[in-house]
Amino acid sequence: MLRSYLKLAWKVLLRRPFFTGISLFGISFTLMILLVVVAFVDHVNGPQTPEKRIDRMLFISSLRQRIVGGNGWNNSPISSHFIDTYVRTMRTPQQVAAVSMTEDATAYINGHRLKLDLRYADGNFWQMMDFDFLEGRPYTTTEVRQAAAVVVVNESTARAYFGTATGVVGRTVEANLRRFRVTGVVRDVPAVRLYTYADLWVPSTLSAGENGSRQLNGGFLAILLARDPSGVAAMSAEFQQVMQRVPIPNPEFIDRLYSFADPVLGSLTRQLFFSGTNQGDNLLLFYTLAGALTLLFMLLPTLNLVNLNITRILERSSEIGVRKAFGASGAVLIGQFLVENLVLSLLGGALGLALAEMMLYIINSSHIVAYSHFQLNWRIFGWGLGLAVVFGLLSGVYPAWRMSRLNPITALKGQAK
């Protein structure tokens, strides 16, 4: 029976190539957009190199200071002094790392200017992260303490500066009029890894603006690593206790300090949806909006497919009338039509997956996102097939029910409405 359904479905789809083409376009284009977005989010928030243990990490990315009288907020990254004085004293993290926001750096090679992104990071940063070293090693905690002029470079920078990505350990890179000895070369980190991406990484003690400063705000962020995923909540709670003990440095202007240890996505949504009356990470709001937009995005082509399917039913009313006259039950007709729709949806799903793969290849090749390596994995592939089936069911149930309800005599006369 199923085999007959599949053969009939294939012939029906070939009978009206125009309608089939419109339906395939609606399914495949929608799936392509959804899969590309999911691949992007997965690369930002998933366990990718070098943040392979991201399920155990929290990020302290900013310090908010409420101005006296409710006259506004001052929001900035935290300082290395804040990290050393308050964050490193926490007991729940297995490890605490300090890393700066990226800053512009300029190098010159053969008279050509090379624009780079530089980060300052401590020794714990290299122990916490899982960079893929092509050669050499990270700089050590001792080298950080000694403020040694050492650097880890990424693969693209090594090729641009030295002409090769290997055999460069021990050689010198000059950036921002300062010389650094290369200790290691790592594979490129995509720019969407917001807290680890850079072209150059140098010891945090070389940051001139931080040395000796006693201010709470600065240009750094802290990364906390729990001993296991179950300890993440305890780290977040302990940090809030720590914040209660942080003295307000200028109470005549500031009356409250806020800072939070969040997962990577939570740290972004807190910044995106921040308001003075809402101190949550707004992840629920983000997921709600994302779910609503996804549902709306899927609903539009689904409604279009419903209309197209109803049109196909009306055109096939005589065929349906003949089948009902010869005893075909409503369940048989519904099953046939759903199989036709599922075949169409799976074809559109396969096309959508191919288009998504092509789109990700174009994004990676165009370098719109620096060092991007977006790709579809098996989990996303499974989501794609599942979405294709959902398309088939949503757009086929109502038209199939309408078809099963047609009066045989009316259908045979071609008068179905």
Side-chain angles (χ1 to χ4, degrees), residues 1-10 13 312 332-346 392-393 396 400:
M1 179 69 72
L2 180 59
R3 186 174 181 181
S4 300
Y5 280 172
L6 292 174
K7 287 183 177 180
L8 181 60
W10 181 250
L13 294 178
R312 287 167 55 201
V332 169
L333 294 174
I334 290 176
Q336 172 196 328
F337 195 77
L338 286 181
V339 168
E340 292 177 14
N341 232 46
L342 284 175
V343 169
L344 178 65
S345 298
L346 289 175
L393 293 176

Side-chain angles (χ1 to χ4, degrees), residues 208-254:
E210 295 284 331
N211 288 337
S213 173
R214 309 290 294 180
Q215 293 185 351
L216 300 180
N217 57 318
F220 274 73
L221 60 95
I223 307 175
L224 313 182
L225 179 68
R227 291 173 175 81
D228 55 69
S230 64
V232 169
M235 287 196 310
S236 178
E238 185 188 5
F239 181 65
Q240 287 310 297
Q241 295 174 2
V242 169
M243 284 301 301
Q244 300 302 316
R245 301 194 299 268
V246 177
I248 298 175
N250 45 351
E252 65 275 17
F253 300 110
I254 303 297

